[in-house]
Amino acid sequence: ADTLGSAAAEKGRYFGAAVAANRLGEAQYAATLNTEFNSVTPENEMKWDALEPSRGSFGFGNADRIVDHARSRGKSVRGHTLVWHSQLPGWVSGLGATDLRSAMNNHITQVMTHYRGAIHSWDVVNEAFQDGSSGARRSSPFQDKLGNGFIEEAFRTARAADPNAKLCYNDYNTDGVNAKSNAVYNLVRDFKSRGVPIDCVGFQSHFNSASPVPSDYRANLQRFADLGVDVQITELDIEGSGTTQATHYGNVVTACLAVSRCTGITVWGIPDKYSWRSSGTPLLFDDNYTKKPAYHAVLSALGGS
Ligand code: G3I
């Protein structure tokens, strides 16, 4: 296999990229996406502020453009994300508990119903835990007004809205074994023991020198898989360049392939110039869409050439 997507497919995995609707008209961007990737995540277009900017008024245009582009070319789509404290419109934060609960459930239901059958996996709840050693929940309108039960409620609503979509919890700085990943682990274990629907855990995997690929990355993915959920690498990018960056990328792919329930990898952008990071070169393609050493390391780790 000589593309990321086809090599991953031979290993029973997908290899995806975060995509921006307003770049799809750029020939090189679309060509690279179409050739190399077999899964797509809208980078911003399925966030709450994009889909429901005012209460009950949904606009699916930009998100639909990405979904149509992907599905007409046989690519699967990850939905990102239904319940998150960021990119949340002001009207949501202003609601009292009763209205917030119904707004959350309505948002999940409307969005998942619109995309029923078209989305492989949904990030139902994103980034609900704090960084650091406390393992505590992060303050957010949902946490502060609805309490710990909001995550369970969101997943139950999501299951009812699209019973065939895989329902994921997604977070960052949970890639190795640490207090934050332990907190997510305990949540998933509790959900599995009580029959609360959850199918997958997303590990964002934004790496840099302050937060490198952890040495226990594979072991951490495996312990979640052992709870009976799929694991996915959902927003991969790695600061750096050259052979050092390439080695780190290769190690991430190798870790995923070593875990049978690691079902796929998504990189958080295509060329370096469109990364969410304000500087640096964290992706697989340079600004001219030339394949970087990191690209070749990923392809080789996937068994392609
Ligand atoms: O669309 C507006 C545009 O109208 C406006 O003129 C412009 C001016 O700043 O802003 C545009 O919105 C920006 C948006 O990206 C779309 O480009 C926002 O300012 C900017 O903050 C937003 O950044 C996104 C970020 O999430 C916001 O939290 C990044 O593109 C996106 O890559 C990033 O992705 C997150 C994941 O969703 C969750 N995990 C972390 C990851 C990286 O931060």
Side-chain angles (χ1 to χ4, degrees):
D2 61 358
T3 67
L4 303 173
S6 61
E10 288 186 4
K11 301 287 188 188
R13 272 57 173 204
Y14 66 81
F15 202 95
V19 164
N22 62 4
R23 305 286 181 203
L24 290 173
E26 294 179 24
Q28 278 187 297
Y29 183 92
T32 307
L33 167 64
N34 295 348
T35 305
E36 292 289 343
F37 299 95
N38 61 0
S39 171
V40 160
T41 305
E43 186 174 358
N44 288 295
E45 293 80 351
M46 286 187 180
K47 293 170 179 176
W48 197 317
D49 62 352
L51 292 184
E52 193 187 6
S54 60
R55 192 171 184 178
S57 259
F58 289 84
F60 292 105
N62 286 331
D64 283 356
R65 266 198 279 157
I66 295 177
V67 172
D68 293 346
H69 184 103
R71 286 177 50 80
S72 65
R73 292 167 177 80
K75 304 177 197 305
S76 64
V77 181
R78 293 194 84 263
H80 175 79
T81 175
L82 293 163
V83 181
W84 188 28
H85 63 273
S86 183
Q87 288 170 287
L88 188 64
W91 68 264
V92 182
S93 338
L95 298 176
T98 305
D99 278 350
L100 179 63
R101 170 171 284 112
S102 69
M104 179 184 84
N105 289 324
N106 185 57
H107 183 79
I108 293 168
T109 302
Q110 297 298 324
V111 173
M112 289 187 73
T113 300
H114 181 82
Y115 289 112
R116 197 181 285 152
I119 304 275
H120 179 275
S121 303
W122 268 108
D123 291 331
V124 179
V125 174
N126 195 44
E127 302 176 4
F129 288 89
Q130 284 179 28
D131 291 314
S133 59
S134 72
R137 295 290 185 85
R138 174 197 296 274
S139 171
S140 73
F142 308 104
Q143 181 66 34
D144 300 347
K145 291 172 187 161
L146 306 181
N148 283 345
F150 89 87
I151 302 182
E152 172 170 353
E153 182 158 351
F155 275 82
R156 289 191 187 280
T157 300
R159 180 67 93 223
D162 183 356
N164 294 319
K166 301 278 189 200
L167 308 181
C168 305
Y169 176 82
N170 190 53
D171 215 327
Y172 67 92
N173 285 351
T174 51
D175 312 296
V177 176
N178 57 40
K180 190 175 179 182
S181 66
N182 287 345
V184 177
Y185 182 86
N186 290 336
L187 174 91
V188 175
R189 187 173 55 185
D190 171 57
F191 278 18
K192 294 302 280 186
S193 75
R194 292 190 297 113
V196 180
I198 185 166
D199 306 303
C200 36
V201 176
F203 298 84
Q204 293 185 11
S205 304
H206 293 292
F207 296 124
N208 54 37
S209 53
S211 167
V213 182
S215 56
D216 55 6
Y217 194 42
R218 183 200 57 73
N220 189 50
L221 298 175
Q222 186 66 57
R223 73 171 174 149
F224 278 85
D226 290 342
L227 292 174
V229 288
D230 289 342
V231 296
Q232 302 173 347
I233 294 168
T234 51
E235 305 182 13
L236 177 63
D237 52 23
I238 308 178
E239 271 294 2
S241 61
T243 53
T244 308
Q245 181 184 47
T247 302
H248 292 318
Y249 262 106
N251 290 345
V252 167
V253 172
T254 301
C256 178
L257 293 180
V259 175
S260 61
R261 293 196 77 148
C262 183
T263 56
I265 298 172
T266 299
V267 287
W268 206 240
I270 301 176
D272 283 331
K273 62 184 172 185
Y274 295 150
S275 168
W276 67 284
R277 294 179 187 274
S278 49
S279 64
T281 54
L283 296 170
L284 301 178
F285 295 87
D286 75 11
D287 291 354
N288 300 312
Y289 294 89
T290 302
K291 296 166 180 172
K292 294 166 56 181
Y295 170 95
H296 296 289
V298 168
L299 184 63
S300 156
L302 289 169
S305 58

